[in-house]
Amino acid sequence: MSLTQKEVLEFMETDLGIASATLDPSMPLFSSGVIDSFSMVALITFMEKQSGITIEPIDVTLENFDTVEKIEAFVSRKKMESA
Amino acid sequence: MRTLERNRDETVVAIRDLGHSDFDTVAGWLSTPEINTWLTSEWRSVAVTPTLVAAVAMNRHNRLYLATCGGEPCGVVALGQLDESDRSAAVWCALGDLRLRGRGIMGKALGLLVHEAFVELCLRSLNASIMATNVASIRLFEKSGFRRVGSIRYGVVSDGKWVDRVVFDLIPEDVGLGICTVDSRG
């Protein structure tokens, strides 16, 4: 199953308490401090469950995770690599 | 980055930037109950995984360093809540290999971190917050020159009991270092 930006934003609102109306898909999440390291791990766990991919520690970079757009792109890439 | 110091028994203690290959080791240490019990609540309330260590290391407000002893990983020293505007950070550390207790290794590693913070990162002040029951760490920080500035009463729940947090600070002058300015760094 793929992971959409909408699903990521919904998770952030319901589980991390971050109002999705305040976010746009290109807004830095981690480097801006909107989410911290521990919330990032909760998000990663959610991404793995929703999409069926395995995220390695080496994957945890700003390039892959810092915006909702980057998260969606990362998951798509991972799914293609594992196909 | 690598800096070296010799421990009293001639074992070389060094610190270096935490790398991807270190995440498993550090996660294992911080998961150990004897170590985890002293960490802040976020670390105590979750499974400490390599992914979590990676996420913490990725955060630009943190700087994590692996302490090595004789070339072997033996602990972690870190700066957290790094504030680039106010040039301050919180210090924490953990000896990962508990067989090495009592040998002054973390004292050396902490000294290297302090030097890194004040000289390389040009920070103006450091702080630390330690559970009042963590006598070994309190002694370590006092011996490293940190000044006890107060306590947060009932600041943490440890083993089901409220415990104070002892708060420390440190400035370059306390350890004989000059005050780094942005201009002086060249």
Side-chain angles (χ1 to χ4, degrees):
Chain A
M1 192 194 313
S2 188
L3 185 68
T4 64
Q5 293 182 15
K6 182 169 178 284
E7 286 170 321
V8 174
L9 289 169
E10 280 174 0
F11 171 80
M12 289 178 63
E13 177 139 25
T14 56
D15 286 66
L16 303 183
I18 299 162
S20 57
T22 66
L23 298 174
D24 76 62
S26 63
M27 175 179 168
L29 300 170
F30 198 59
S31 58
S32 66
V34 168
I35 64 172
D36 63 16
S37 310
F38 296 88
S39 296
M40 171 60 73
V41 173
L43 177 58
I44 287 171
T45 303
F46 164 75
M47 288 163 60
E48 289 182 324
K49 283 185 183 161
Q50 282 297 108
S51 62
I53 62 172
T54 298
I55 297 172
E56 304 293 340
I58 200 166
D59 294 325
V60 180
T61 64
L62 292 175
E63 291 72 30
N64 291 335
F65 289 96
D66 204 24
T67 69
V68 176
E69 283 174 347
K70 287 181 179 180
I71 289 170
E72 187 186 39
F74 167 75
V75 172
S76 294
R77 271 198 316 276
K78 273 293 230 186
K79 289 195 78 67
M80 280 174 51
E81 285 167 12
S82 61
Chain B
M1 181 281 307
R2 179 179 292 267
T3 50
L4 300 174
E5 186 68 68
R6 284 202 181 270
N7 204 24
R8 56 179 182 237
D9 64 355
E10 293 305 305
T11 305
V12 175
V13 176
I15 64 172
R16 61 166 173 77
D17 292 338
L18 202 72
H20 291 130
S21 60
D22 305 319
F23 294 155
D24 281 359
T25 299
V26 172
W29 289 339
L30 299 183
S31 300
T32 308
E34 300 99 305
I35 295 171
N36 187 270
T37 192
W38 301 118
L39 303 178
T40 51
S41 61
E42 314 104 311
W43 293 98
R44 286 181 279 133
S45 60
V46 297
V48 182
T49 62
T51 301
L52 174 57
V53 176
V56 171
M58 180 176 72
N59 189 326
R60 68 183 176 86
H61 296 293
N62 298 325
R63 296 283 192 280
L64 273 62
Y65 303 91
L66 187 78
T68 61
C69 184
E72 293 300 316
C74 61
V76 59
V77 291
L79 301 173
Q81 299 161 36
L82 194 129
D83 188 317
E84 287 161 359
S85 296
D86 291 341
R87 288 162 56 205
S88 68
V91 174
W92 62 274
C93 62
L95 179 66
D97 186 345
L98 297 178
R99 297 169 299 177
L100 301 175
R101 269 189 284 215
R103 294 173 53 184
I105 288 164
M106 289 314 289
K108 289 294 184 191
L110 192 54
L112 293 170
L113 177 72
V114 165
H115 189 271
E116 175 75 7
F118 288 145
V119 176
E120 300 299 327
L121 298 179
C122 204
L123 298 185
R124 186 62 182 94
S125 78
L126 298 173
N127 61 85
S129 175
I130 302 170
M131 286 187 208
T133 45
N134 191 347
V135 173
S137 282
I138 288 173
R139 193 161 49 232
L140 167 67
F141 275 72
E142 285 174 340
K143 283 176 72 174
S144 298
F146 282 76
R147 184 185 67 149
R148 191 185 293 221
V149 295
S151 64
I152 300 167
R153 290 169 293 178
Y154 306 133
V156 61
V157 176
S158 175
D159 290 330
K161 297 178 192 158
W162 290 107
V163 171
D164 292 352
R165 280 203 166 276
V166 181
V167 182
F168 293 86
D169 78 355
L170 186 73
I171 56 175
E173 298 95 312
D174 295 336
V175 288
L177 291 171
I179 302 167
C180 170
T181 61
V182 173
D183 291 338
S184 72
R185 293 173 74 193

